[in-house]
Amino acid sequence: MVSLLTDDVNINSIMFQNYKGKDGATKYWQELFTIFPNIRIDIVTLTANEERIVAEIDVSGTQKGEVGNSTGLEKKFQVRGAFVYEFSDNMKIREIRMYYDSGVLKKQLDTVKYK
């Protein structure tokens, strides 16, 4: 996957942080698959042109590590969202933006306390 990225790629993640460059992208995916080893991303709809791909997605899996204030206990989650992939002139990914209801996800993973 890293070979598909520009050297200065930006990855914007609501749950984690923003990552820059190929080293940042590698770190992001390592953290993601460590915490959510069985993460599954199903495409609901896909729209594309020469500059970007927008995918409406269902993301699900089981948390195996700590995120924020969570205990790191195994918790299942499912959330619908969208990923936007922006491409450079040489058709490499220069930015990935992820959108989903982080409140719903945080509640499922118990990273915030609700009354």
Side-chain angles (χ1 to χ4, degrees), residues 9-65:
V9 66
N10 288 311
I11 298 178
N12 301 304
S13 169
I14 295 171
M15 282 297 288
F16 297 105
Q17 61 183 1
N18 294 330
Y19 296 82
K20 298 201 183 291
K22 288 183 177 181
D23 289 342
T26 300
K27 181 180 178 188
Y28 167 72
W29 284 310
Q30 287 171 340
E31 290 175 1
L32 180 70
F33 290 114
T34 297
I35 296 169
F36 307 111
N38 69 338
I39 194 167
R40 179 181 170 108
I41 300 171
D42 293 309
I43 296 172
V44 177
T45 62
L46 190 66
T47 304
N49 64 28
E50 291 128 12
E51 299 168 352
R52 80 186 46 84
I53 293 174
V54 178
E56 180 184 11
I57 51 153
D58 280 330
V59 183
S60 60
T62 305
Q63 173 188 3
K64 301 276 186 173

